[in-house]
């Protein structure tokens, strides 16, 4: 048993943990059919850890939903499998290819797989009748997200209406929805990137190995370092080089760039972040770079 | 196959320890479009090095393309496209920054009259309220209104930042006059702690760095105050309140008899051996164990999320409250509260709504609207009869389920509720309980 707290102080990281656990329990208690949207990235793994804590020793009272882009890194999938096995969690996998067949999304050859995730995700939520979907979004990620509620209401079309959000007061969350609508839930709303890493460090949480520095064949394209693979091949004057890199986010491997890094453990990553001069999205997500308002547009359509 | 190899970086270890151990201050900012609130927040983020290169570059280029003489720091926080077009902030936005001792969560709320509901939303979780006034204008109706709302929401600490001091030649007289006026006005309010700071958000004076332009000012800079204001004693560690959120019953072979009551501590300290009462049933038992995840802990206190075990097999479910037999709230169905109304259709007597209080949900009927509070003059209009959008008034409610409540002035968690329109599902009202009977 831990010692008596003489000062009754809770550190900010413990306060964030307590808040997130509260949100998980509230959703499990009030929604008929919640689901946790699992991307395999560090944020969704931290969500899993918090959910594990919220319901221990019971199993998670909801399944995990993953949108399989067909372009996920192998390291991400193997970490996912290890988590799912340890927690005995149920897993629902929605693939973009099946969504294309089912007509939820159209592959016109111009749309990125990341963007096609929207239709795939909404299709899976609708087909399975999920009423609440946990997402790993954080308000510090991007300007449009700074205004999103913890409980973010989505209409029949899965869309977010930023001008018509419900007020959210105290820790009293309003989970009322009509048939056909669902709620996005963001238990990590108040966490920053540094908080996430510090928590991974403290709890020694298993995350995909590509977050840590390793040697990889890369090419430089539009100022981003992309991993050479079946889909990414050098064109024009592009040169394949082996560099020491790590990924800061783990999306679709054709869209996700890596950064040069020597950080092979969590403490070194935290050191890097503490002095980082570029936000994690700005650095490595091709899909956010098209316009300043890119994220806002995708959110309105029903993106995470 | 844990893929988190540990350590090589002592600087990283240090940074992790700082993030882990820092405490937390949530504050709400209020001010109108022209008071320079967004600029001030941009300044706090910039000077605490919480802004990244790409973010700064983006606003620098936007500022240039708009032909501004200086980088418009307000662009850092004006998020949604429609806001950028109108040049105003239309919704509560949350911002984050940290110094070695504290992490800060800013609820950035718009100042316009029609957005009182946003201000109330932002203030509901705040430890501190920051009100901005333009030194040239002095106190306006709006700054008074912000102070009233912060006081009503029982935000324990208030900072009045007198901005644009550069435009009044750093005049001590101007500062003193506004200070005096505000202190006089504040005597009618509930503001336990007030700090008045002369600043220039644009130039950074007294924001993070002490200004050479205000030798007559001996108080703290804004950042120093935010870093050091004492918030730990704002919590109630005496009156035990544990709203049961979720009952954990694994129904597995390994944990066959496990029955834990999960929730977030709303008040007091809970520990093994404590005699407790479960409301509303009134059954008593003793705490046999307090757990955080898989670890037994000695004590639980606000705002910890824990699991409580009781010695006896009493019937406990979501919506119940665990308190002490000699210190428990009285279950009440007649509620006297201040309500902030947040939707176009006015609140009227006899209206029926859904109510959510702690983990309890029921229905409520409006018995009487006693008065409407004019947040500018504090005048109580007893003839009002209804509450319109963004109006605040004292209301009597009758609820279908008893609420296990405290006065809001004693406990912001067990003293607050929200009202929900049963047809649309939208949150339409925020309530602060005066008393229940």
């Amino acid at each position: 048993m831990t010692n008596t707290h003489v000062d009754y102080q809770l550190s900010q990281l413990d306060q964030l943990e307590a808040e997130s656990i509260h949100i998980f329990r509230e959703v499990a208690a009030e929604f008929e059919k919640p689901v946790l949207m699992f991307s395999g990235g560090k944020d969704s793994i931290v969500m899993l850890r918090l959910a594990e804590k919220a319901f221990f020793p019971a199993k998670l009272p909801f399944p995990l939903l993953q949108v399989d882009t067909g372009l996920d890194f192998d390291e991400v999938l193997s970490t996912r499998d290890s988590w799912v096995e340890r927690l005995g969690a149920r897993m629902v996998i929605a693939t973009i290819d099946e969504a294309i067949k089912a007509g939820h999304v159209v592959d016109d050859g111009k749309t990125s797989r990341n963007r096609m995730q929207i239709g795939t995700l909404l299709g899976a939520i609708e087909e399975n009748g999920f009423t609440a979907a946990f997402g790993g979004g954080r308000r510090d990620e991007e300007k449009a997200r700074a205004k999103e509620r913890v409980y973010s209401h989505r209409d029949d079309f899965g869309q977010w209406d930023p001008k018509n959000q419900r007020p959210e007061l105290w820790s009293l969350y309003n989970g009322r929805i009509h048939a056909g609508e669902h709620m996005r839930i963001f238990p990590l709303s108040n966490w920053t990137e540094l908080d996430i890493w510090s928590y991974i460090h403290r709890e020694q949480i298993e995350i995909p190995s590509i977050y840590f520095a390793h040697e990889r064949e890369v090419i430089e394209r539009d100022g981003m370092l992309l991993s050479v693979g079946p889909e990414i091949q050098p064109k024009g004057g592009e040169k394949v080089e082996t560099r020491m890199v790590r990924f800061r986010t783990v999306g679709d491997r054709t869209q996700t760039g890596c950064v040069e890094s020597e950080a092979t453990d969590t403490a070194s990553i935290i050191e890097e972040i503490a002095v980082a001069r570029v936000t994690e999205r700005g650095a490595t997500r091709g899909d956010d770079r098209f316009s300043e308002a890119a994220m806002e547009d995708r959110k309105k359509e029903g993106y995470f | 196959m844990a893929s988190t190899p540990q350590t090589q970086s002592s600087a990283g270890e240090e940074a992790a320890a700082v993030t882990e151990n820092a405490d937390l201050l949530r504050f709400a900012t209020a001010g109108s479009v022209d008071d320079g609130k967004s600029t001030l927040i941009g300044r706090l983020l910039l000077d605490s090095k919480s802004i990244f290169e790409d973010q700064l570059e983006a606003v620098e280029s936007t500022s240039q393309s708009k032909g501004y003489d200086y980088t418009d720091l307000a662009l850092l926080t004006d998020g949604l496209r429609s806001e950028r077009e109108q040049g105003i902030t239309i919704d509560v936005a949350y911002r984050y920054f940290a110094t070695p001792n504290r992490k800060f969560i800013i609820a950035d709320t718009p100042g316009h009259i029609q957005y009182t509901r946003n201000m109330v939303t932002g203030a509901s979780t705040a430890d501190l309220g920051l009100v901005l006034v333009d030194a040239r204008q002095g106190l306006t109706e709006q700054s008074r209104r912000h102070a009233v709302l912060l006081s009503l929401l029982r935000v324990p600490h208030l900072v009045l930042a007198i901005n644009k001091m550069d435009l009044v030649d750093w005049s001590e007289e101007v500062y003193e006059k506004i200070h005096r006026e505000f202190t006089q006005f504040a005597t009618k309010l509930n503001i336990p702690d007030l700090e008045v700071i002369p600043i220039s958000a644009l130039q950074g004076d007294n924001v993070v760095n002490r200004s050479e332009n205000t030798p007559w000012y001996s108080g703290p800079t804004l950042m120093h105050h935010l870093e050091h204001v004492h918030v730990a004693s704002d919590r109630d560690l005496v009156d035990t309140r544990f709203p049961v959120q979720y009952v954990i019953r694994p129904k597995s072979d390994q944990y066959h008899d496990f029955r834990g009551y999960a929730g977030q501590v709303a008040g007091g300290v809970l520990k093994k051996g404590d005699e407790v009462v479960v409301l509303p049933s009134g059954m008593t038992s003793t705490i046999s164990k307090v757990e955080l995840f898989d670890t037994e802990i000695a004590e639980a206190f606000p705002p910890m999320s824990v699991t409580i075990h009781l010695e006896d097999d009493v019937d406990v479910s979501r919506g119940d409250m665990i308190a002490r037999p000699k210190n428990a709230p009285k279950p009440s169905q007649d509620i006297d509260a201040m309500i902030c109304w947040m939707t176009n259709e006015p609140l009227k007597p006899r209206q029926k709504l859904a109510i959510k209080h702690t983990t309890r949900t029921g229905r409520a009927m409006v018995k009487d609207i006693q008065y409407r509070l004019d947040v500018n003059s504090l005048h109580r209009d007893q003839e009002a009869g209804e509450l319109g959008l963004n109006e605040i008034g004292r209301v009597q409610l009758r609820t279908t389920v008893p609420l296990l409540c405290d006065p809001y002035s004693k406990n912001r968690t067990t003293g607050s509720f929200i009202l929900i329109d049963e047809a649309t599902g939208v949150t339409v009202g925020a309530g602060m309980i005066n008393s229940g009977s």
Side-chain angles (χ1 to χ4, degrees):
Chain A
M1 201 177 350
T2 53
N3 288 331
T4 300
H5 293 267
V6 277
D7 54 355
Y8 299 107
Q9 294 282 330
L10 213 53
S11 79
Q12 70 99 11
L13 203 58
D14 285 327
Q15 288 192 46
L16 291 176
E17 181 188 65
E19 179 181 83
S20 302
I21 288 174
H22 172 82
I23 293 163
F24 272 110
R25 289 169 172 169
E26 204 59 14
V27 171
E30 288 200 318
F31 284 88
E32 220 162 288
K33 212 173 170 193
V35 68
L36 187 147
M37 297 192 290
F38 188 76
S39 72
K42 65 182 195 311
D43 299 306
S44 63
I45 289 176
V46 166
M47 275 207 294
L48 262 191
R49 174 66 171 172
L50 292 162
E52 180 188 11
K53 288 195 175 193
F55 304 105
F56 179 88
K59 286 186 180 165
L60 302 190
F62 41 75
L64 316 184
L65 170 64
Q66 188 177 30
V67 176
D68 181 357
T69 57
L71 294 169
D72 295 298
F73 290 97
D74 292 342
E75 295 88 339
V76 174
L77 297 178
S78 72
T79 305
R80 174 197 73 189
D81 294 343
S82 152
W83 267 94
V84 166
E85 197 193 312
R86 192 171 68 73
L87 296 184
R90 284 171 293 145
M91 188 91 211
V92 177
I93 293 179
T95 70
I96 288 185
D97 294 332
E98 274 167 29
I100 292 171
K101 274 183 222 151
H104 294 310
V105 289
V106 179
D107 186 3
D108 57 8
K110 283 179 287 190
T111 310
S112 80
R113 303 285 280 189
N114 200 344
R115 208 166 177 110
M116 286 193 276
Q117 282 186 65
I118 299 169
T120 311
L121 181 77
L122 294 177
I125 287 174
E126 201 176 318
E127 270 171 29
N128 290 279
F130 293 126
T131 52
F134 293 102
R138 309 189 317 263
R139 289 177 182 145
D140 80 324
E141 275 179 87
E142 211 273 342
K143 279 197 277 189
R145 274 206 168 132
K147 310 212 161 177
E148 185 143 19
R149 308 292 189 254
V150 172
Y151 275 37
S152 185
H153 182 258
R154 300 302 158 106
D155 63 16
D156 284 350
F157 301 97
Q159 295 184 92
W160 182 56
D161 180 0
K163 282 208 167 169
N164 202 13
Q165 298 195 84
R166 295 175 179 178
E168 196 161 78
L169 300 109
W170 298 289
S171 49
L172 290 169
Y173 301 107
N174 173 3
R176 300 252 168 160
I177 48 168
H178 292 110
E181 299 173 346
H182 74 278
M183 200 71 89
R184 290 295 166 83
I185 314 281
F186 298 104
L188 303 179
S189 287
N190 287 324
W191 295 59
T192 63
E193 189 189 9
L194 196 53
D195 295 328
I196 294 285
W197 278 109
S198 300
Y199 195 69
I200 291 169
H201 182 69
R202 181 180 92 177
E203 308 268 317
Q204 302 195 21
I205 293 171
E206 180 191 350
I207 55 170
S209 56
I210 58 171
Y211 277 112
F212 299 101
H214 57 284
E215 287 198 334
R216 185 174 282 267
E217 289 196 325
V218 294
I219 53 164
E220 205 172 327
R221 185 176 293 170
D222 304 329
M224 286 201 303
L225 290 180
L226 293 175
S227 174
V228 176
E231 304 83 13
I232 302 282
Q233 287 294 321
K235 7 176 230 205
E238 288 172 348
K239 200 166 78 205
V240 178
E241 290 172 278
T242 301
R243 293 203 208 170
M244 192 73 168
V245 295
R246 68 180 188 86
F247 289 84
R248 296 179 71 187
T249 61
V250 294
D252 157 353
R253 64 178 175 245
T254 64
Q255 289 278 326
T256 308
C258 47
V259 292
E260 292 201 88
S261 170
E262 298 290 327
T264 53
D265 58 39
T266 50
S268 316
I269 288 174
I270 289 165
E271 183 186 348
E272 266 189 23
I273 294 167
V275 297
R277 300 311 305 151
V278 181
T279 57
E280 65 186 305
R281 283 198 167 266
T284 58
R285 288 292 273 259
D287 46 337
D288 283 338
R289 293 163 58 120
F290 296 117
S291 82
E292 203 192 338
M295 176 71 110
E296 194 179 332
D297 289 339
R298 277 183 301 142
K299 284 181 76 69
K300 282 183 185 164
E301 286 176 35
Y303 181 74
F304 303 91
Chain B
M1 42 161 279
S3 47
T4 39
Q6 294 300 309
T7 216
Q8 273 15 296
S9 161
S10 59
E13 292 283 354
E14 226 169 87
V18 163
T19 310
E20 260 183 66
N21 300 325
D23 75 355
L24 182 63
L25 182 83
R26 295 176 197 252
F27 70 98
T29 57
S32 62
V33 191
D34 307 316
D35 295 334
K37 180 167 57 76
S38 296
T39 308
L40 175 62
I41 292 173
R43 172 62 62 189
L44 284 169
L45 299 180
L46 188 69
D47 288 2
S48 66
K49 302 189 170 54
S50 309
I51 289 183
F52 296 104
E53 235 165 56
D54 52 338
Q55 294 173 314
L56 191 60
E57 274 168 20
V59 302
E60 275 171 353
S61 72
T62 310
S63 300
Q64 270 172 13
S65 69
K66 289 191 174 177
Y68 298 158
D69 291 338
Y70 51 85
T71 300
D72 185 1
L73 295 177
L75 292 170
L76 281 167
T77 56
D78 291 346
L80 302 172
R81 188 184 297 169
S82 51
E83 291 177 6
R84 285 198 301 275
E85 282 157 7
Q86 295 168 43
I88 54 161
T89 316
I90 55 166
D91 202 341
V92 188
Y94 294 87
R95 318 279 171 205
Y96 304 83
F97 69 98
T99 63
N101 301 316
R102 247 182 198 169
K103 172 173 162 180
F104 300 90
I105 301 180
I106 314 175
D108 179 11
T109 69
H112 322 280
I113 185 155
Q114 65 268 41
Y115 293 117
T116 296
R117 71 171 213 178
N118 291 324
M119 167 96 212
V120 168
T121 300
S124 70
T125 50
D127 305 306
L128 180 146
L130 173 62
V131 175
L132 249 92
V133 298
D134 183 329
R136 297 169 302 176
Q137 313 274 326
L139 286 189
T140 59
E141 220 177 81
Q142 195 165 277
S143 32
R144 288 195 183 86
R145 186 166 63 239
H146 291 151
V148 169
L149 292 174
L150 290 167
S151 150
L152 201 65
L153 271 290
R154 298 275 168 174
V155 178
H157 308 273
L158 195 147
V159 174
L160 181 71
I162 304 177
N163 192 22
K164 307 194 182 179
M165 286 297 294
D166 49 323
L167 301 181
V168 294
D169 295 325
W170 303 101
S171 157
E172 185 181 4
E173 287 74 46
V174 169
Y175 168 84
E176 285 300 339
K177 180 170 172 286
I178 297 172
H179 191 167
R180 219 168 27 243
E181 249 182 87
F182 189 81
T183 315
Q184 215 164 23
F185 175 69
T187 53
K188 292 184 250 175
L189 306 176
N190 201 301
I191 298 172
D193 174 39
L194 171 69
E195 197 70 52
V196 184
I197 307 177
I199 64 165
S200 164
L202 194 61
Q203 298 174 5
D205 296 73
N206 289 336
V207 178
V208 173
N209 302 313
R210 177 160 288 282
S211 171
E212 288 172 7
N213 295 312
T214 52
W216 42 264
Y217 173 72
S218 57
T221 63
L222 177 59
M223 185 69 102
H224 185 273
H225 184 62
L226 293 175
E227 274 197 285
H228 294 92
V229 62
H230 185 64
V231 291
S233 53
D234 297 337
R235 290 165 309 155
D236 178 357
L237 292 171
V238 176
D239 307 298
T240 299
R241 301 287 186 265
F242 186 77
V244 176
Q245 214 190 342
Y246 192 86
V247 180
I248 297 178
R249 297 209 61 188
K251 295 176 186 159
S252 63
D253 294 339
Q254 196 187 347
Y255 296 98
H256 196 268
D257 295 322
F258 188 103
R259 192 183 174 89
Y261 306 111
Q264 188 166 25
V265 183
V269 177
L270 296 102
K271 56 183 186 297
K272 183 179 177 171
D274 282 352
E275 201 190 327
V276 292
V277 61
V278 180
L279 298 173
S281 74
M283 308 274 278
T284 56
S285 185
T286 305
I287 294 177
S288 59
K289 194 157 61 164
V290 181
E291 285 178 314
L292 183 66
F293 182 36
D294 58 358
T295 310
E296 181 171 357
I297 55 171
E299 296 176 292
F301 52 90
M304 290 171 85
S305 280
V306 296
T307 306
I308 302 282
H309 296 256
L310 299 181
E311 271 177 13
D312 308 278
D313 199 6
V314 289
D315 184 25
V316 183
S317 53
R318 174 175 166 86
D320 290 356
M321 168 137 10
I322 293 173
R324 303 297 298 270
K326 292 204 171 103
N327 179 353
K330 200 171 80 178
S332 319
Q333 281 179 268
D334 289 295
I335 306 295
D336 174 34
M338 296 302 290
I339 287 176
C340 174
W341 192 244
M342 302 177 150
T343 194
N344 289 319
E345 197 61 33
L347 178 73
K348 291 178 175 153
R350 312 263 338 141
Q351 194 166 333
K352 294 178 186 71
L353 298 137
I355 185 168
K356 186 173 181 186
H357 170 262
T358 65
T359 56
R360 237 173 148 66
T361 306
R363 300 181 73 208
M365 190 188 71
V366 179
K367 283 199 333 202
D368 185 30
I369 296 177
Q370 205 177 322
Y371 60 78
R372 178 170 59 206
L373 182 72
D374 182 325
V375 288
N376 300 314
S377 64
L378 296 178
H379 174 73
R380 298 169 175 187
D381 180 2
Q382 310 204 337
E383 306 301 312
E386 59 178 48
L387 292 181
L389 173 65
N390 289 312
E391 291 183 340
I392 291 170
R394 186 165 177 178
V395 175
Q396 269 72 45
L397 298 174
R398 172 79 187 172
T399 58
T400 53
V401 293
L403 301 190
L404 312 164
C405 60
D406 292 294
Y408 186 74
S409 57
K410 283 193 68 184
N411 189 317
R412 289 168 82 187
T413 305
T414 57
S416 55
F417 60 82
I418 54 171
L419 295 170
I420 299 164
D421 183 309
E422 293 184 301
T424 62
V426 171
T427 305
V428 289
M432 290 146 282
I433 296 168
N434 296 321
S435 64
S437 57

